[in-house]
Amino acid sequence: MTMASITGGSYPPALANDQERERLALAIKDWSIANGLAVRPPPAVVGPQGDPRGIFAVNAPVTLFPSPFPRSCFQEAKAIQTAYNELYASISQDADFLEGLVQEVAGGDDFIANLWDVHLRVKGEGYVQSLDLGLFRSDYMVHQDGEALQIKQVEFNTIASSFGGLSAQTSKLHQYLAQTEYPLLQAAGPHASGLDLPANHSAKGLAAGLADAFTAYGPSTLGHPTCVLFLVQDGERNVFDQRRLEYELQSTHGIPVFRLPFSEVLARTSIAPSSPARQLLYSLPSSPARVFEAAVVYLRAGYGPGDYPTPSAWEARHQIERSGAIACPSVLTQLAGMKKVQQVLATPEPSGGVPTALRRFVPSETKAAGLLRTFTNIFPMDDTTPAGQAARKMATDPEACKKYVMKPQREGGGNNFYRTAIPAHLASIPEAHWGSFILMELITPPPLENIILRNGALEQGGVICELGVYGTCLWDRKTKAVLHNEESGYLLRTKGDQSEEGGVAAGYGCMDSCSLV
């Protein structure tokens, strides 16, 4: 079975003339701005001199049509999400397991080593908050193996799982176009006769996870009003995506929310003096005498080395981690998202059985089998194990490397090395650092086409789609109880089939939604 056979023919529909293209593009641009499917413009479009007051917004890059996606793959990805939530909640509670993996990669990765150091400092003093919150996203691509189509996991994100706000709006955009614009096109096809566009409540679902953590924190024992802090990067372009979650928390749940640049954590927050609970207090910049107690700190920053340019940035992360606020994520939960964890989970027994690491955290054979079906082949890059030695040989071979992507322990786009770029990068770094990478077999998606609207211009051609499924999970490290575990909507990102990376904010991909086939 191929995607062409299940879409019933040519897709997307051919636009008859320039007038059709312009009308559809204008409808998308106007709807996007009117409904917040927007980003701050990239410097290549409008530089600081052209927008000195920071007032400009442009529609987020988006496909003109929802991309066909196999219904069975979509349903499987959504159904398995709560099992993934439980898995990563369990991993984050196993510091001994994480310590072993950190030691394997930290020699070539100062960022991971510094995160682990934050944990050790807080552990030495003693953690005061036992609740952990994860706003996760598990990313997949459809892998075509002969006639079979199946989902294979690209990565699991445990920090700053973005685009929950914009993905919900993208689904609404395509639903709007299906009602108003697609039926007017001259070309016949499924776009005119009816598309199966699944509802997407990702913004509501992610906000509900934050709200549950806020409630679990409880009222302040110091008499302060409580709040949620969104920890953000300076100059954040993807602000409207984040704002949708803030507005949902404020309007639906009645929770005060404040945006706090990572660079201002030490200036705007403090630990309550002489309190064993070490409450995290936040002072309003406009009115420093007004003090809120942070129940939850949601990190949309702090996921890469660029967020820690000075030692004070690491002190800021340490302050959040040692406080009584519920950090989303905690340092250990962030470390659970290392690509090394994904590799170890997917490494099978020599006998071909279920991986030992997976069974360590998932005793249920049924759940373990369901997770295992979504894994692709991933190899370590160490120089001591047979698997690592074999991976090094493949990674440095000019032909064998073309089947792989090499990944560091990072979140966000633009960090990976693909195919023939792998040997060159390995040659540029000390061999002792190779173990900080993992080698993943490339997933082979079925061929698709679509039209992308980016920076006001239309781009048509072959595309690759990546499905992300959101999950929210709240657990107690002391009691091991899972207090909240939900699948929370989806994201579809699409990129040109000649592009290696897929990050929208990084400038590689675009927003999309699923048309189930």
Side-chain angles (χ1 to χ4, degrees):
M1 179 182 292
T2 63
M3 289 294 275
S5 67
I6 56 180
T7 56
S10 177
Y11 192 90
L15 299 180
N17 49 48
D18 289 344
Q19 287 73 26
E20 269 199 346
R21 295 168 66 89
E22 291 170 4
R23 190 188 78 232
L24 191 53
L26 181 60
I28 291 172
K29 286 187 282 189
D30 289 350
W31 191 98
S32 296
I33 293 299
N35 291 274
L37 181 52
V39 294
R40 295 293 186 198
V45 176
V46 180
Q49 293 182 340
D51 184 23
R53 298 183 182 273
I55 62 173
F56 289 177
V58 297
N59 62 281
V62 66
T63 57
L64 265 62
F65 299 92
S67 288
F69 202 91
R71 185 188 313 276
S72 61
C73 293
F74 182 81
Q75 292 172 340
E76 181 181 2
K78 287 172 71 70
I80 201 72
Q81 184 61 37
T82 54
Y84 263 117
N85 292 346
E86 290 180 1
L87 170 60
Y88 277 84
S90 297
I91 292 170
S92 77
Q93 297 174 71
D94 194 332
D96 291 340
F97 174 76
L98 288 172
E99 181 178 21
L101 301 186
V102 166
Q103 290 176 346
E104 288 190 41
V105 303
D109 196 322
D110 291 342
F111 177 66
I112 295 298
N114 287 333
L115 282 174
W116 184 251
D117 183 61
V118 170
H119 161 67
L120 291 179
R121 290 175 64 191
V122 179
K123 179 185 176 182
E125 183 181 14
Y127 278 90
V128 295
Q129 178 55 262
S130 66
L131 296 178
D132 264 354
L133 174 66
L135 265 58
F136 299 140
R137 196 186 70 222
S138 186
D139 293 337
Y140 307 92
M141 290 173 63
V142 175
H143 179 66
Q144 183 169 349
D145 185 6
E147 293 294 299
L149 299 173
Q150 55 189 147
I151 56 165
K152 292 295 181 183
Q153 188 183 62
V154 177
E155 63 181 355
F156 192 90
N157 302 274
T158 62
I159 181 171
S161 302
S162 59
F163 292 112
L166 294 193
S167 62
Q169 295 308 99
T170 305
S171 294
K172 291 179 181 178
L173 166 66
H174 287 148
Q175 289 164 358
Y176 165 78
L177 295 173
Q179 294 172 351
T180 61
E181 295 293 333
Y182 299 158
L184 302 178
L185 300 177
Q186 294 186 37
H191 63 282
S193 59
L195 299 170
D196 188 349
L197 307 178
N200 187 8
H201 305 296
S202 50
K204 290 181 179 294
L206 293 171
L210 289 163
D212 272 12
F214 177 87
T215 301
Y217 182 89
S220 170
T221 59
L222 301 178
H224 297 296
T226 50
C227 71
V228 172
L229 293 180
F230 274 47
L231 201 62
V232 299
Q233 294 175 322
D234 291 316
E236 175 64 72
R237 291 183 50 235
N238 193 29
V239 60
F240 306 109
D241 172 56
Q242 299 169 4
R243 288 289 195 186
R244 295 208 75 84
L245 273 64
E246 294 178 40
Y247 300 154
E248 184 68 24
L249 282 170
Q250 293 165 330
S251 61
T252 300
H253 302 280
I255 297 173
V257 180
F258 301 104
R259 296 175 65 80
L260 175 62
F262 197 14
S263 60
E264 297 180 17
V265 167
L266 295 180
R268 296 298 173 194
T269 70
S270 61
I271 302 294
S274 305
S275 172
R278 298 204 290 266
Q279 293 92 339
L280 185 66
L281 306 181
Y282 170 73
S283 299
L284 284 178
S286 58
S287 181
R290 297 199 64 181
V291 176
F292 286 77
E293 183 174 325
V296 180
V297 180
Y298 175 39
L299 279 76
R300 292 295 292 259
Y303 54 83
D307 288 328
Y308 301 87
T310 63
S312 65
W314 285 108
E315 287 304 313
R317 185 63 185 274
H318 175 250
Q319 176 153 296
I320 293 165
E321 190 73 8
R322 70 182 291 265
S323 78
I326 300 172
C328 179
S330 67
V331 163
L332 288 180
T333 303
Q334 181 174 350
L335 287 169
M338 290 188 298
K339 302 302 181 287
K340 184 65 180 178
V341 171
Q342 186 185 7
Q343 173 257 304
V344 169
L345 290 174
T347 300
E349 289 291 284
S351 61
V354 175
T356 302
L358 181 60
R359 290 307 301 270
R360 175 174 179 155
F361 300 106
V362 187
S364 165
E365 290 186 12
T366 302
K367 285 187 178 180
L371 294 164
L372 194 58
R373 280 197 303 271
T374 68
F375 293 166
T376 190
N377 292 322
I378 312 176
F379 305 94
M381 288 286 289
D382 61 81
D383 62 354
T384 57
T385 66
Q389 292 166 355
R392 288 184 172 214
K393 185 175 181 180
M394 292 185 293
T396 53
D397 185 283
E399 286 301 316
C401 69
K402 294 178 181 179
K403 297 180 179 180
Y404 296 95
V405 54
M406 190 174 70
K407 297 183 176 183
Q409 315 301 316
R410 293 287 181 275
E411 301 286 359
N415 297 303
N416 300 331
F417 299 90
Y418 290 81
R419 300 182 177 89
T420 55
I422 298 173
H425 182 72
L426 289 174
S428 71
I429 62 175
E431 193 168 339
H433 293 181
W434 291 12
S436 63
F437 293 86
I438 58 101
L439 192 69
M440 176 183 284
E441 191 171 56
L442 287 167
I443 301 168
T444 306
L448 288 173
E449 286 198 5
N450 211 325
I451 307 171
I452 296 172
L453 177 63
R454 187 194 312 276
N455 297 332
L458 296 178
E459 309 165 4
Q460 183 166 1
V463 297
I464 295 173
C465 300
E466 187 171 310
L467 176 71
V469 178
Y470 295 103
T472 54
C473 192
L474 177 69
W475 63 94
D476 191 317
R477 294 193 305 273
K478 286 184 179 179
T479 67
K480 307 300 181 184
V482 175
L483 308 176
H484 171 105
N485 183 10
E486 300 287 343
E487 177 265 307
S488 303
Y490 83 91
L491 160 72
L492 192 70
R493 288 175 296 174
T494 293
K495 62 183 179 181
D497 60 7
Q498 300 304 307
S499 174
E500 308 275 39
E501 296 285 356
V504 178
Y508 303 103
C510 74
M511 302 299 298
D512 197 351
S513 73
C514 292
S515 173
L516 300 183
V517 293

